[in-house]
Amino acid sequence: MPIKEDLPFHPVRIAVLTVSDSRDLSTDKSGDTLVARIEGAGHVVADRAIVRDDVDLIVARLHGWIDDPEVDCVITTGGTGVTGRDVTPEAFARVWDKEIPGFGELFRWLSYAKIGTSTIQSRATAGVARGTYIFALPGSTGAVKDGWDDILVYQLDSRHMPCNFVELMPRLTER
């Protein structure tokens, strides 16, 4: 995937949400990994939080960031599995206007090369909510690396060709 170096880079303001019943900021390695990659790519971490695996708490945090003009994008880690406590995709479905099904499909396709059929347990997903991109990654550091390094670092780079999510940002709320 070519990066067109002669085009300007536009930093994206990204909020990071860890969904977990057991982590806090001192033990959130997946969140730390995501923050380091976001900043390393030249983007801005607009905010960071941790919430329990609870649909209403996740929805409330998402709404807060979606309505914040200082947040262009939200990336979550955790809660995308198939157990009873994994409810991040259900929370996303409550807030998005449009699903981006190709994100989860591509994530699982890329993940398959690394973890084989175990990737079927991931419900990684994405969408657009009132002009804000929202992406849900699994909670492991490996999955965060895969989602960022293999997909989001490119799609959130305004210089990525032939197209990227950044160039669409001004048009996300048009009717």
Side-chain angles (χ1 to χ4, degrees):
M1 305 333 130
I3 298 293
K4 198 158 186 209
E5 298 291 342
D6 59 325
L7 291 177
F9 176 79
H10 299 288
V12 177
R13 297 167 301 196
I14 303 169
V16 174
L17 179 64
T18 298
V19 177
S20 176
D21 288 336
S22 60
R23 296 181 191 167
D24 60 29
L25 282 177
S26 69
T27 59
D28 183 19
K29 292 183 181 182
S30 294
D32 290 342
T33 299
L34 190 51
V35 165
R37 281 169 156 68
I38 290 167
E39 292 175 340
H43 299 293
V44 176
V45 175
D47 201 0
R48 181 177 177 184
I50 298 176
V51 299
R52 291 189 332 269
D53 293 276
D54 178 283
V55 172
D56 293 330
L57 293 175
I58 299 166
V59 166
R61 183 66 272 171
L62 290 173
H63 278 306
W65 283 332
I66 291 163
D67 292 334
D68 185 341
E70 296 301 311
V71 175
D72 302 312
C73 174
V74 176
I75 304 175
T76 69
T77 175
T80 63
V82 296
T83 72
R85 298 288 301 151
D86 293 319
V87 294
T88 302
E90 287 76 14
F92 271 47
R94 285 194 193 176
V95 301
W96 65 33
D97 303 312
K98 292 186 178 187
E99 182 180 10
I100 305 172
F103 177 79
E105 294 162 1
L106 179 57
F107 177 85
R108 284 179 286 279
W109 181 75
L110 293 165
S111 180
Y112 179 77
K114 298 173 184 178
I115 64 168
T117 59
S118 294
T119 194
I120 201 165
Q121 294 181 28
S122 167
R123 297 186 304 141
T125 192
V128 179
R130 298 187 305 279
T132 301
Y133 287 113
I134 55 175
F135 301 97
L137 297 172
S140 73
T141 55
V144 166
K145 291 175 185 176
D146 293 346
W148 181 265
D149 296 350
D150 296 340
I151 304 170
L152 293 174
V153 72
Y154 300 109
Q155 282 299 298
L156 295 177
D157 190 324
S158 56
R159 304 164 301 166
H160 181 273
M161 293 295 129
C163 57
N164 58 76
F165 284 138
V166 179
E167 66 190 358
L168 300 175
M169 284 179 169
R171 300 181 52 211
L172 292 178
T173 58
E174 70 186 10
R175 297 281 174 219

